[in-house]
Amino acid sequence: MKRFVVALIAGASVFTLAFGAAAALNVNGEVIQAGATFDVVCDADGIEVDGWGLETDTSLVSYVRFAGVDTACDGAAVFVNVIGPFSTEIMEGGPVTVPGGGTVQVPFDAPVNAADIYGLQVFIEG
């Protein structure tokens, strides 16, 4: 039983470290990358939020648009987690295939109230 508890704690620690590393990825920052390697293979300069799909009459946001996507990311999939109060995930978006560098627009699974958006987690895979 003791061995099982130790294995469970070790597994939880590894998961926490992996999740924490992904949660620390920067938008408008240095590096955006998800995975098990520290070698940046796509977009070493980061990306920036270029716009939001905001309906002003309802205050609902249906997508986020990113600019500055490097052409090295062409064909990669972009995923977004919309973060609400207390660092909770309130919505997902994507995957969207990067069409050719520059700009990519990621729709949310459902519209989100603009006042509930506290942050984004962005993942580029592929």
Side-chain angles (χ1 to χ4, degrees):
M1 179 67 173
K2 188 185 230 183
R3 186 178 293 172
F4 175 75
V5 171
V6 170
L8 187 62
I9 291 171
S13 298
V14 168
F15 174 78
T16 302
L17 288 173
F19 182 77
L25 298 175
N26 293 322
V27 176
N28 294 331
E30 293 294 314
V31 175
I32 296 177
Q33 181 175 332
T37 180
F38 292 104
D39 295 329
V40 179
V41 295
C42 169
D43 209 46
D45 295 327
I47 62 176
E48 58 190 53
V49 174
D50 185 48
W52 298 89
L54 173 65
E55 295 293 330
T56 55
D57 56 333
T58 62
S59 296
L60 294 177
V61 178
S62 57
Y63 67 84
V64 61
R65 185 176 55 249
F66 297 104
V69 181
D70 193 277
T71 56
C73 298
D74 291 357
V78 178
F79 301 84
V80 173
N81 290 339
V82 180
I83 305 301
F86 309 109
S87 299
T88 57
E89 180 185 317
I90 58 174
M91 185 56 58
E92 295 179 355
V96 172
T97 301
V98 177
T103 303
V104 63
Q105 185 169 298
V106 182
F108 299 157
D109 291 345
V112 178
N113 190 320
D116 294 336
I117 299 174
Y118 282 65
L120 294 171
Q121 291 177 322
V122 180
F123 304 92
I124 298 176
E125 176 185 79

